[in-house]
Amino acid sequence: MTWLPPFLFPLSHVPPVTVGAADVPDWLFALVAGPTVVGWIVTYVLAIRQAARDGRVGIPAFLIAVDFAWEFSLTFLLEQTPQQRQINFLWVLFDAVLLYQALRLGPRDYPHLSPRLVRWALAGVLVWASVIVMVGANEFHDDDGMYTGMFIQVPLSASFILMLKRRGSSAGQSMYIAVAKAVGSLFAGLTAFAVHPDHHLLQVLVPTYVALDIAYLVLLHRAMRAEGRRPWAFRTPRAGAPGASAPRVRVPQVTEVTEAPQSDDATP
């Protein structure tokens, strides 16, 4: 007999990870998976465009390496469902451009480090993440990338907030990137709920990164307003450019005071 009180929650008799995917109708899968694919493609395209305009990566550099590792590994290296491999292949094409931008522009976010060191660190993260994704997917028998994908989503969403804070400006970022990313991630979570309703870990991870996405939207909107940028203008001068509008500062009016003329009888 143990002196500890009885536990409150017993382990599942059947490990949820061993429960197979639900039989989801094709129309329902298309309804939730379609916006996931489109949302992330739009995110990638807008991030590439913004990085070209601002000279700063639109997605945190080290998470680009992780994202590329996930998509490349689950497309070309590890067994996955045919449908998921086709989706991943589309994403990896755009992510390859983002990875090139990360290697070229990423060091600007780490001025205290040499560009060479940052690029080697990015390469190291890419290799490490590829191994983790493959081992993790094999460990969970994650043949559609749900577990590994949801694990990546949480630090990815948090990294956008950290990127905004580290830069101290909205350079390389836009509300449209943030919205497209939030929509793609939200529907990825809904896809996970539909396909794996018994996988309770996913039911914790998804609300976590959705909350982080909402927080980033609010913080980015405030930052752009403070900089004098119009958050929802698609064509605006890049952050910090000479043509960008500056925050409005109210300058108090100064009333000129003149001395009253002194009379000849005034005491000096």
Side-chain angles (χ1 to χ4, degrees), residues 208-229:
T208 301
Y209 71 68
V210 168
L212 291 171
D213 286 344
I214 293 173
Y216 174 66
L217 281 164
V218 174
L219 293 173
L220 179 61
H221 189 274
R222 290 178 180 175
M224 296 182 76
R225 290 286 299 273
E227 295 167 7
R229 298 181 69 190

Side-chain angles (χ1 to χ4, degrees), residues 155-210:
L156 176 61
S157 295
S159 69
F160 275 87
I161 298 175
L162 297 176
M163 178 176 68
L164 178 63
K165 179 177 176 58
R166 182 173 60 250
R167 289 180 181 172
S169 77
S170 63
Q173 303 159 82
S174 76
M175 292 300 297
Y176 293 102
I177 295 174
V179 169
K181 190 268 179 197
V183 170
S185 299
L186 173 62
F187 277 91
L190 296 178
T191 304
F193 290 165
V195 177
H196 298 291
D198 298 315
H199 292 192
H200 305 304
L201 181 57
L202 302 180
Q203 297 167 6
V204 176
L205 294 174
V206 173
T208 301
Y209 71 68
V210 168

